Amino acid sequence: MATVELRFSALPEHVRTARLVAAAVARRSGVDEAVLDEVRLAVGEACTRAVGLHQSGGITAPVKVLLIEDEKQFSIEVGDEAPRSAPGDRVPGSGTEADVEAEEDEMGLAVISGLVDDVEVTAGEHGGLIRMTWPTTPVTTPLS
């Protein structure tokens, strides 16, 4: 299993770099060319979400992206260090800034779920993680 780890400051301008690196590693890992746009978009959405959570929470720790190549699948994990409370803790419709941020967060997760068939989202008091997985086909090198 090969893993590439990328850490970047929680700034929007670094999201593009994360997208480009993810697409390059996905291609090399054997992810179908037709799916690479979905990989780019999903990683961009997940990284943008993590950057926003860090910025709104005043968190200076970097956003962490792991690109994991397994035998038959390629996974990307985007982690943040923004603490979350239990889903029932907020009162819907209260009109607070936290409600608006929570709705934007849910929208971002919906976009990711629409792009990726196999996605897991976990969150807790120490931060969150989005794990996205795509199938791969073995990359063969033509014989000379």
Side-chain angles (χ1 to χ4, degrees):
M1 167 169 63
T3 301
V4 174
E5 183 174 335
L6 176 66
R7 292 176 185 257
F8 62 90
S9 301
L11 297 170
E13 53 266 27
H14 297 306
V15 172
R16 182 173 188 268
T17 302
R19 287 176 49 182
L20 293 171
V21 170
V25 176
R27 177 179 285 119
R28 191 200 63 177
S29 298
V31 172
D32 191 289
E33 285 288 325
V35 181
L36 290 178
D37 281 339
E38 293 171 11
V39 171
R40 276 196 269 307
L41 290 170
V43 169
E45 191 66 41
C47 288
T48 297
R49 177 180 175 272
V51 166
L53 289 168
H54 276 222
Q55 288 183 337
S56 66
I59 298 165
T60 59
V63 172
K64 182 177 173 181
V65 180
L66 291 177
L67 310 165
I68 305 161
E69 180 184 352
D70 283 325
E71 190 175 319
K72 296 183 181 184
Q73 68 182 19
F74 174 70
S75 300
I76 299 175
E77 296 180 359
V78 178
D80 65 72
E81 294 190 19
R84 315 287 203 298
S85 57
D89 287 354
R90 87 179 164 91
V91 179
S94 62
T96 65
E97 187 175 325
D99 274 342
V100 172
E101 288 177 7
E103 287 176 17
E104 289 174 359
D105 186 45
E106 290 171 15
M107 180 65 83
L109 291 174
V111 169
I112 293 167
S113 295
L115 291 167
V116 184
D117 291 335
D118 187 2
V119 63
E120 296 174 41
V121 180
T122 57
E125 62 185 43
H126 299 292
L129 181 75
I130 298 176
R131 180 180 172 92
M132 303 168 282
T133 304
W134 293 269
T136 60
T137 53
V139 179
T140 56
T141 308
L143 298 174
S144 305

